Amino acid sequence: MPYGLQDTSLISMTQHLDMLRAIAGRTRLPIVADIDAGYGNAISVIHTITEYERAGANAVVIGEAAITARSDPDFLVIARTEALIASLGEAEALRPARAEAGADMILIHSKVTNPSEIESFSRAWMEAVPLVIVPNALTSSPSGSKRWAMSA
């Protein structure tokens, strides 16, 4: 992954698909599966997306790449950029190629514990593709309870 952080990839695609099938068999809720970088090259990504569709996912999140290899038009591909996490800056995170590569949504997150970086990115985002924003950390509130820090 050229711009992301190392992932330990402790779970194989087969193990992940087995768990996905178990979850899909027990819920009617939409399932979004994170498929890392797609388990290989472009051909592997096509195979991966097909297998995740078959296993019951309604969407996948894929890092630094998005393709339109899907058989179900309602199946979503969410491209994850880790440029802010990797401290590469807003300009790198805004590269429009991500939106043009077939993604239905762009997932952005940040390691900054306040919303400034994500707010700036959101204001600068001019693509029609919607953003998915993910909280990155738990913080303590004044009452002592834990809550998500909405920096992403």
Side-chain angles (χ1 to χ4, degrees), residues 44-55 69-71 75:
S44 297
V45 172
I46 293 167
H47 171 72
T48 299
I49 289 176
T50 300
E51 290 302 310
Y52 276 78
E53 283 182 87
R54 285 184 189 150
R70 55 187 139 197
S71 57
F75 187 83

Side-chain angles (χ1 to χ4, degrees), residues 58-59 70-76 104:
N58 301 92
R70 55 187 139 197
S71 57
D72 180 349
D74 295 326
F75 187 83
L76 298 176
D104 298 300

Side-chain angles (χ1 to χ4, degrees), residues 12 29 45 69 71 74 78 83 92 97 106 110 125 131 145:
S12 71
L29 294 173
V45 172
S71 57
D74 295 326
I78 304 167
E92 175 61 24
I106 303 297
S110 166
W125 183 251
L131 296 175
S145 64

Side-chain angles (χ1 to χ4, degrees), residues 89-111:
E90 187 175 288
E92 175 61 24
L94 285 166
R95 282 189 317 138
R98 289 186 179 87
E100 295 168 3
D104 298 300
M105 298 178 182
I106 303 297
L107 186 144
I108 186 76
H109 56 141
S110 166
K111 63 183 175 185

Side-chain angles (χ1 to χ4, degrees), residues 10-84:
L10 293 175
I11 298 174
S12 71
M13 181 174 135
T14 301
Q15 291 169 311
H16 201 227
L17 285 167
D18 288 345
M19 187 56 64
L20 173 60
R21 286 184 197 97
I23 293 168
R26 289 166 180 78
T27 186
R28 292 178 184 239
L29 294 173
I31 299 171
V32 179
D34 190 325
I35 62 170
D36 195 28
Y39 298 100
N41 61 24
I43 300 296
S44 297
V45 172
I46 293 167
H47 171 72
T48 299
I49 289 176
T50 300
E51 290 302 310
Y52 276 78
E53 283 182 87
R54 285 184 189 150
N58 301 92
V60 293
V61 175
I62 185 168
E64 300 298 331
I67 63 168
T68 56
R70 55 187 139 197
S71 57
D72 180 349
D74 295 326
F75 187 83
L76 298 176
V77 175
I78 304 167
R80 178 185 62 249
T81 178
E82 297 198 359
L84 297 180

